[in-house]
Amino acid sequence: MREFSHMPTTAESRSPTGGAAAIKAPATPAAGTGIAPEDIKRYVQLYAANPLFGHHDEWVITDNPFRRPVDHQAVTQHNFSQPLKREEVFSSSALAAQRMLFNVYETDLVFLPDKDFAAKRADFESFYSNENKLLGELIRPTLEAHVFGFLDEEIDISGKWSAAAVKSYLQHLVDNHERSELDIVSAVLSSPDPEKAALALLIQVAGDFLTESSASARNLLGKFGPVQSELFKIAIDDYGYGVHKAKHSTLFESTMATCGLATDAHAYWHFYLTGSLALNNYYHYVCRDHSKFFRAIGAIAVGESLFAHTCRKFSEMLRAVFGDRVDTYYFDEHFHIDAHHGRMAAENVVAPAIAKYGDSVIPEIVRGIEELQSITSLADTDFMAQLAWADDLQGHKAAAARARQGGLSEETESTKTTVVLREGEPVITRACDADSLWLVESGTLELVAGHGSSIQIQAGEGLVVRRGRLQGASSVSPRCLYHVYQLKD
Ligand SMILES: [Fe+2]
Ligand SMILES: [Fe+2]
């Protein structure tokens, strides 16, 4: 149900009449937990201190869905009490918050390792322990306000909306989307290494596709009439009508396996970009809190409506990159079924919900439509920026040499951090809050920019890491000492 290609969310596009505001969308309630900020800060640190969320020995986490590194150091550095601004959504604070939120949400889902449960039983029990769940629940509203609060400022729904206007607006979005080539697909195809780029994209979507429909399935319980059963029909398609090999997540496993990727849930946790986590979390955010039910059906309607074309473009791209060896059936199946799901969601869920619950629910539905597109756009931007940087690590090595030749001074650097790494130390990926210059003084550093994407930096060499980019570092010599200079704008 993930959607990629973004439609502009201009004020005009949100107002079907261009007229004066007829219905004002209610703002998201503040975190409103009644808990003092200093207590929240303490709970956040306690939450992140769970050994399950500590650094891991390997970049790929094999068959243990409970190991989900958060980066405790980042958590202690940041204060999550204020909403981030849009320009901060790829910051280190955003990454830490999105990772924690994803963990909080996913304690509602069942994960089991494929093999050797006995060896992982302690992790299983810790992940689903009351302590982990209660701490997660205490910090969740604060983290949600931190990472999604900017949407309240950004999206203003005005105009004389009606059920017909919502329907034609959704159709307008579908029409525009179907004329699009999808920027992320074009970015993969024009990469100097399209295979690596395509794998990077599959990894970004795996966080959602391997548990497909889990967030929206939260709307199936309860009692609310025929709309409930229509939502159920969409879910049972995603769940393959109980035939495991037809379950959409199983189809996606086959796509990953035929590309040589692991199919364990969150094996590539370290490489999930902040934007991808935001998109996964957004579905949970609106589907878990049932006061956001109408926002959720707006998001589901637009997600389902646009996904068909997205899947067509993904399938074409995978075939072009991997030839016959890739199984594209996951995408081919969605190309057919999500055109149908989009119609079902618009005609059998959104329209009857408005008819039954009244026009006052329309702004929330439109808010869901707009917010999903906004978060999708961020996920796309993040992926393309990461790809551009990771594809040009040599160029960024040369940039570091030039910066070094030019001489570092107080005018070019703001802070300097010195780090010592030892070979075999546990690893973590982080996001950079500013463009930074990494200079290796001794030993050899391996800087990782994604799965299978890294560069070695010898003593005397350096690398420029761009703001917002995800990177991890390890030493490939017994000891490596390096300096990180945060560069001024
Ligand atoms: Fe599906
Ligand atoms: Fe679907």
Side-chain angles (χ1 to χ4, degrees):
M1 194 168 50
R2 177 177 168 133
E3 185 38 53
F4 293 91
S5 189
H6 175 61
M7 298 299 137
T9 55
T10 61
E12 188 184 28
S13 73
R14 266 175 250 127
S15 171
T17 60
I23 308 165
K24 197 77 181 161
T28 307
T33 55
I35 305 172
E38 57 272 23
D39 288 336
I40 294 283
K41 193 170 170 57
R42 193 160 51 87
Y43 295 144
V44 167
Q45 292 191 14
L46 272 174
Y47 181 82
N50 186 328
L52 291 180
F53 307 146
H55 293 18
H56 196 75
D57 291 338
E58 306 285 341
W59 290 117
V60 178
I61 301 170
T62 306
D63 196 26
N64 190 330
F66 316 115
R67 293 269 162 180
R68 299 152 171 253
V70 161
D71 188 6
H72 194 254
Q73 184 189 321
V75 169
T76 53
Q77 279 168 0
H78 297 297
N79 181 346
F80 301 96
S81 64
Q82 295 297 321
L84 293 170
K85 298 187 178 73
R86 178 175 247 271
E87 58 271 23
E88 297 169 326
V89 294
F90 305 140
S91 63
S92 162
S93 175
L95 177 62
Q98 296 286 9
R99 281 174 169 170
M100 287 188 282
L101 261 186
F102 199 37
N103 292 346
V104 170
Y105 292 135
E106 288 207 337
T107 52
D108 292 346
L109 314 185
V110 179
F111 289 95
L112 289 167
D114 194 39
K115 297 189 182 76
D116 200 7
F117 176 69
K120 296 154 194 169
R121 183 165 195 138
D123 289 355
F124 163 79
E125 285 174 358
S126 173
F127 188 68
Y128 294 117
S129 67
N130 281 329
E131 184 183 0
N132 184 44
K133 285 185 290 188
L134 286 170
L135 278 172
E137 202 51 21
L138 284 168
I139 66 175
R140 176 185 56 78
T142 300
L143 297 178
E144 287 174 338
H146 186 61
V147 297
F148 294 127
F150 76 96
L151 292 167
D152 292 345
E153 295 294 315
E154 179 174 292
I155 293 171
D156 176 33
I157 294 137
S158 58
K160 289 179 184 167
W161 286 96
S162 62
V166 173
K167 186 178 174 196
S168 68
Y169 178 48
L170 274 172
Q171 191 56 50
H172 158 79
L173 295 177
V174 173
D175 293 344
N176 272 354
H177 185 61
E178 295 197 343
R179 285 194 289 271
S180 149
E181 287 299 313
L182 268 70
D183 290 346
I184 48 172
V185 165
S186 303
V188 167
L189 292 171
S190 61
S191 163
D193 190 341
E195 280 202 18
K196 197 159 70 183
L199 295 181
L201 185 53
L202 290 176
I203 285 170
Q204 294 313 311
V205 297
D208 178 19
F209 291 3
L210 289 176
T211 59
E212 197 190 286
S213 213
S214 293
S216 55
R218 295 173 186 278
N219 294 306
L220 301 181
L221 306 183
K223 180 185 185 304
F224 54 95
V227 163
Q228 184 175 13
S229 298
E230 295 300 326
L231 283 169
F232 189 65
K233 283 180 195 160
I234 296 173
I236 55 179
D237 280 341
D238 287 331
Y239 278 80
Y241 286 82
V243 177
H244 191 66
K245 70 177 196 231
K247 189 173 182 278
H248 288 177
S249 61
T250 313
L251 304 182
F252 186 67
E253 285 182 33
S254 178
T255 302
M256 291 190 81
T258 53
C259 293
L261 290 172
T263 59
D264 320 332
H266 309 325
Y268 302 101
W269 174 272
H270 276 120
F271 304 116
Y272 289 157
L273 297 171
T274 312
S276 306
L277 290 166
L279 191 49
N280 298 346
N281 282 337
Y282 180 78
Y283 277 113
H284 286 290
Y285 170 58
V286 293
C287 293
R288 187 171 189 272
D289 171 359
H290 296 312
S291 75
K292 296 186 177 70
F293 175 73
F294 295 101
R295 211 183 298 192
I297 62 175
I300 290 167
V302 74
E304 295 288 333
S305 298
L306 304 189
F307 198 50
H309 178 69
T310 300
C311 285
R312 182 194 350 226
K313 301 310 289 181
F314 263 57
S315 178
E316 290 169 3
M317 175 274 285
L318 290 171
R319 188 65 68 215
V321 171
F322 295 104
D324 289 343
R325 72 181 196 269
V326 61
D327 177 1
T328 60
Y329 186 57
Y330 172 88
F331 296 102
D332 302 334
E333 170 76 356
H334 280 95
F335 169 51
H336 294 291
I337 207 160
D338 270 37
H340 181 52
H341 283 177
R343 269 194 306 279
M344 284 164 78
E347 292 171 16
N348 304 338
V349 176
V350 168
I354 295 170
K356 187 171 168 79
Y357 303 105
D359 284 1
S360 72
V361 304
I362 297 179
E364 271 291 276
I365 291 172
V366 176
R367 178 168 284 279
I369 294 172
E370 295 303 307
E371 289 185 344
L372 184 74
Q373 290 179 89
S374 181
I375 298 290
T376 299
S377 166
L378 289 175
D380 291 356
T381 301
D382 202 4
F383 173 74
M384 291 187 289
Q386 187 74 16
L387 186 61
W389 176 66
D391 270 347
D392 190 26
L393 293 176
Q394 282 297 348
H396 286 85
K397 206 173 184 182
R402 285 195 300 277
R404 195 173 198 192
Q405 257 172 6
L408 288 165
S409 68
E410 284 193 358
E411 280 143 44
T412 53
E413 53 162 302
S414 56
T415 62
K416 176 187 173 185
T417 311
T418 298
V419 183
V420 175
L421 286 180
R422 289 189 168 72
E423 199 169 20
E425 265 182 39
V427 292
I428 188 76
T429 48
R430 298 192 159 113
C432 280
D433 283 333
D435 283 357
S436 55
L437 175 63
W438 295 42
L439 294 178
V440 175
E441 187 178 309
S442 63
T444 303
L445 183 74
E446 180 154 59
L447 190 128
V448 177
H451 176 59
S453 179
S454 67
I455 190 166
Q456 290 199 357
I457 311 168
Q458 311 291 340
E461 294 182 332
L463 188 88
V464 170
V465 180
R466 296 291 172 201
R467 178 173 185 251
R469 294 309 94 225
L470 187 78
Q471 44 69 26
S474 67
S475 176
V476 287
S477 53
R479 180 178 183 274
C480 174
L481 188 150
Y482 63 98
H483 308 285
V484 178
Y485 299 87
Q486 264 198 13
L487 300 174
K488 289 181 178 167
D489 285 343

